[in-house]
Amino acid sequence: GRHVVASLKQRGHWVRALARNPGKLEETGQFLEPSVRGLVDDLFAGEATRPETLRGLCDGIDAVVSSLGITRQNDGLTFRDVDYQANRNVLDIAEQSGVKRFVFVSVFQAELLSGIGLVQAREDFVSDLLASDINATVVRPTGYFSDISELFHMARSGRVYLIGDGSARGNPIHGADLAEACVDAMETHVEEIAVGGPQVFTYREIAEMAFRVTSGKVKITCLPRWLSDLTIRAVKPFSSRLYDLSRFFATVTQNDFVAPPAGSHTLEAFFRQLLEFEE
């Protein structure tokens, strides 16, 4: 979301941003997301899960870009509450206000991830969005640099764990490059856009890169799939959200997720910036 604000302003758009905690927009995010408080023309404080706080959100607005979804917050909300219903609440307000364009960020190759609560919630919203009267585009990124940073943090701790042999390939994308794709999508009438970063790696190559950046000895442990599946199933009775996130990670890292390349940010440069930021 912050990267989208920056991209929109760079192109001369007037921007209203919805923020649950406006103060956070003044800080650099934990994954190097830029401070954007000074770029926002109108800051709207509200919670997308509470429609009563959204009245007036889309008044005078031409286009909405949403990437709303649960990431790492721990506030008792479910994927259904956020990834589906919060976006549905924003869509309802947008329809009532006469918004012309709606760009939504979902996931690439959702068919491989069917049955996972995180993906199902987002894809249920996609169905609602494409059935609405608003001209809509669904942007489908392969994955984010911020997600891949989990391998970076494992490397800093001394060992990276991979599921399978680490040969699955992907081209994750930087938030700024994805934001450019989202803003481009505002000016198209294409229903769906798949997008990835400029470089394709195997997960083993990413792990080796993380060790190279952190100057650590390469220590990679490959877990057999049966052990991964057993561990993930054991988590389910205690946390349905962690269960879904684990299934998502396991599926993505065992299949090729390569989309048309876009942008210029490299993963190694991101890791080096993250190392400097965290130190």
Side-chain angles (χ1 to χ4, degrees):
R2 297 190 197 203
H3 289 295
V4 169
V5 168
S7 179
L8 287 168
K9 290 307 298 178
Q10 187 175 30
R11 300 196 197 188
H13 292 281
W14 185 94
V15 179
R16 174 179 295 150
L18 169 64
R20 182 172 58 165
N21 185 345
K24 288 188 175 182
L25 298 186
E26 299 178 1
E27 308 165 357
T28 300
Q30 69 179 112
F31 301 108
L32 310 179
E33 307 96 314
S35 167
V36 295
R37 181 63 186 91
L39 300 179
V40 175
D41 297 289
D42 183 29
L43 182 57
F44 191 104
E47 296 186 35
T49 53
R50 298 172 56 206
E52 70 275 11
T53 71
L54 303 180
R55 297 188 185 98
L57 172 64
C58 293
D59 290 355
I61 295 299
D62 299 311
V64 170
V65 180
S66 176
S67 59
L68 280 167
I70 285 181
T71 51
R72 293 163 175 79
Q73 64 262 43
N74 188 22
D75 49 16
L77 295 172
T78 66
F79 292 118
R80 196 75 191 172
D81 294 331
V82 181
D83 293 71
Y84 173 76
Q85 192 59 55
N87 284 295
R88 178 73 243 192
N89 293 340
V90 173
L91 176 60
D92 289 341
I93 294 290
E95 289 176 325
Q96 295 165 18
S97 302
V99 169
K100 299 293 192 297
R101 292 283 289 125
F102 199 116
V103 175
F104 177 64
V105 180
S106 191
V107 297
F108 180 62
Q109 293 189 161
E111 65 278 4
L112 292 180
L113 303 160
S114 61
I116 297 176
L118 159 65
V119 177
Q120 191 60 55
R122 297 190 80 76
E123 289 303 294
D124 285 348
F125 175 70
V126 167
S127 296
D128 287 5
L129 177 61
L130 297 181
S132 73
D133 292 331
I134 292 180
N135 189 307
T137 297
V138 180
V139 179
R140 297 189 176 278
T142 53
Y144 306 111
F145 280 13
S146 57
D147 294 328
I148 299 300
S149 68
E150 293 296 334
L151 298 181
F152 167 83
H153 288 115
M154 278 192 264
R156 289 200 73 184
S157 297
R159 184 174 297 276
V160 170
Y161 293 90
L162 299 176
I163 300 172
D165 62 6
S167 64
R169 301 179 309 132
N171 60 330
I173 189 168
H174 191 283
D177 291 333
L178 177 56
E180 291 293 317
C182 290
V183 176
D184 287 342
M186 288 173 48
E187 302 168 359
T188 72
H189 296 280
V190 178
E191 194 170 272
E192 296 196 357
I193 298 173
V195 61
Q199 298 171 297
V200 178
F201 303 99
T202 66
Y203 284 93
R204 178 173 287 275
E205 288 171 338
I206 293 174
E208 291 169 349
M209 177 196 302
F211 282 112
R212 183 166 66 249
V213 169
T214 58
S215 301
K217 182 179 179 181
V218 176
K219 295 180 181 179
I220 299 173
T221 298
C222 293
L223 305 175
R225 181 164 183 169
W226 66 264
L227 180 58
S228 167
D229 291 345
L230 183 65
T231 303
I232 291 171
R233 284 198 298 271
V235 168
K236 188 175 184 180
F238 303 99
S239 173
S240 60
R241 190 172 80 170
L242 181 57
Y243 169 72
D244 270 338
L245 286 171
S246 299
R247 286 182 65 203
F248 180 84
F249 177 79
T251 303
V252 168
T253 57
Q254 294 178 83
N255 292 275
D256 288 347
F257 277 70
V258 179
S264 60
H265 290 77
T266 66
L267 185 58
E268 183 166 348
F270 174 76
F271 280 173
R272 293 192 182 282
Q273 291 164 0
L274 200 57
L275 180 66
E276 182 179 352
F277 177 71
E278 293 183 356
E279 289 183 339

